[in-house]
Amino acid sequence: MPASERAAIADRLARAVREGGDLALTTFNASLKHWIKGKDSPVSEADIAVDNLLRERLLAIVPDAGWLSEETEDDPARLSKRRVWVVDPIDGTRAYIAGLVDWTISAALVEDGRPIVAALFAPAENEFFSAIVGEGAICNAQRIVATEGESLDGARLSGPRRTVEQLAVAVPNIMALPRVHSLALRFARVAQGRLDAALSGGNSHDWDLAAADLLVHEACGALTTLAGDRILYNRPEPVHGPLVAAGRLRHEALRKALDPLKT
């Protein structure tokens, strides 16, 4: 895809994601219907409203793209598409329902299994992230870069409590920070340097990751499996195991520190 086309898509994507965030804010901290789907996954009427809005807006931008969203029934036709929109209308629904601020609107265009354009909006914190492959990552119009260095001494880390506690025993000076409810935002915090590293447990999905993945890599960081493999998107099962994100040198050191904890 030519750079000019990616830029045009990114501009329209940004407008759509901002619109989705504004819509979500209208019912934030308000009484709204919400329920549990599956075993233990909350969903609210705001999730559905934002999903419908984004589906209309984004498929108008790239009409031949497939669609994969947490709040839309999966259509296997996406697997035959080279380009697919990967969307989480509200990532961090528990936080949204509880009136906490760490939830986001997340969307990315994936091409041949990897994100090429991404937008991530945290409306309650007024932070808007975007990235285009090969062109860096920004937050609120400012270039962002993951923190440098490879030492884990004093590194600011957020992730699943059990794993963070185990890691803190192995690396005593790690600074464990509260878990960010939106997984996409947790990884975006690495891209902007507010966290030095972030972890996820198993069972994350494409829609939790695609936008943040591009942000991290365009901010000179890495987001991979514990084995160091990049994530591939738009597969039959869009589910992923534990993941780690950090600046590129620290990422390797953190993977090594986590290796003994896998058993």
Side-chain angles (χ1 to χ4, degrees):
M1 180 188 295
S4 59
E5 185 178 354
R6 288 196 299 267
I9 289 172
D11 182 63
R12 294 179 67 183
L13 170 62
R15 293 201 299 269
V17 169
R18 284 188 181 276
E19 187 178 356
D22 292 343
L23 177 59
L25 280 175
T26 64
T27 49
F28 181 52
N29 277 328
S31 177
L32 76 165
K33 295 179 181 178
H34 58 89
W35 57 95
I36 298 295
K37 64 180 182 182
K39 292 183 178 180
D40 190 32
S41 181
V43 59
S44 74
E45 57 186 341
D47 293 83
I48 304 303
V50 175
D51 189 63
N52 289 338
L53 183 149
L54 290 178
R55 183 180 176 92
E56 179 180 343
R57 299 292 189 271
L58 300 187
L59 290 180
I61 299 172
V62 186
D64 63 344
W67 180 261
L68 178 61
S69 166
E70 182 175 13
E71 305 306 343
T72 306
E73 183 177 357
D74 193 10
D75 182 357
R78 66 178 171 81
L79 299 172
S80 65
K81 303 286 188 177
R82 185 183 180 199
R83 294 189 289 186
V84 178
W85 287 110
V86 179
V87 172
D88 196 338
I90 298 181
D91 184 45
T93 298
R94 292 183 191 277
Y96 179 84
I97 293 171
L100 304 176
V101 298
D102 52 344
W103 52 274
T104 59
I105 316 297
S106 177
L109 183 63
V110 166
E111 183 177 80
D112 298 330
R114 291 291 301 163
I116 60 169
V117 178
L120 181 70
F121 187 25
E125 298 192 89
N126 193 30
E127 288 186 309
F128 189 89
F129 301 83
S130 62
I132 302 173
V133 67
E135 298 187 23
I138 62 174
C139 176
N140 291 352
Q142 299 295 317
R143 178 74 181 266
I144 56 175
V145 181
T147 56
E148 297 180 344
E150 61 182 302
S151 174
L152 300 181
D153 187 19
R156 299 160 298 168
L157 174 71
S158 177
R161 178 181 296 179
R162 182 172 179 271
T163 304
V164 170
E165 289 175 349
Q166 290 178 320
L167 190 61
V169 172
V171 187
N173 289 329
I174 273 184
M175 186 184 301
L177 298 182
R179 182 173 65 88
V180 180
H181 287 88
S182 163
L183 180 55
L185 185 60
R186 191 186 311 166
F187 287 136
R189 295 279 186 243
V190 173
Q192 72 179 144
R194 285 181 59 176
L195 290 173
D196 298 306
L199 309 173
S200 71
N203 203 40
S204 57
H205 293 75
D206 281 13
W207 46 77
D208 303 310
L209 304 169
D213 187 337
L214 186 60
L215 288 169
V216 170
H217 282 97
E218 289 299 315
C220 301
L223 169 57
T224 72
T225 68
L226 296 186
D229 299 322
R230 283 198 175 191
I231 305 163
L232 292 178
Y233 298 94
N234 194 35
R235 296 301 185 255
E237 293 296 329
V239 184
H240 305 277
L243 303 169
V244 55
R248 289 171 188 163
L249 294 177
R250 186 172 287 110
H251 175 271
E252 183 63 20
L254 186 56
R255 280 206 314 110
K256 291 178 179 177
L258 286 166
D259 191 65
L261 307 182
K262 292 190 291 185
T263 58

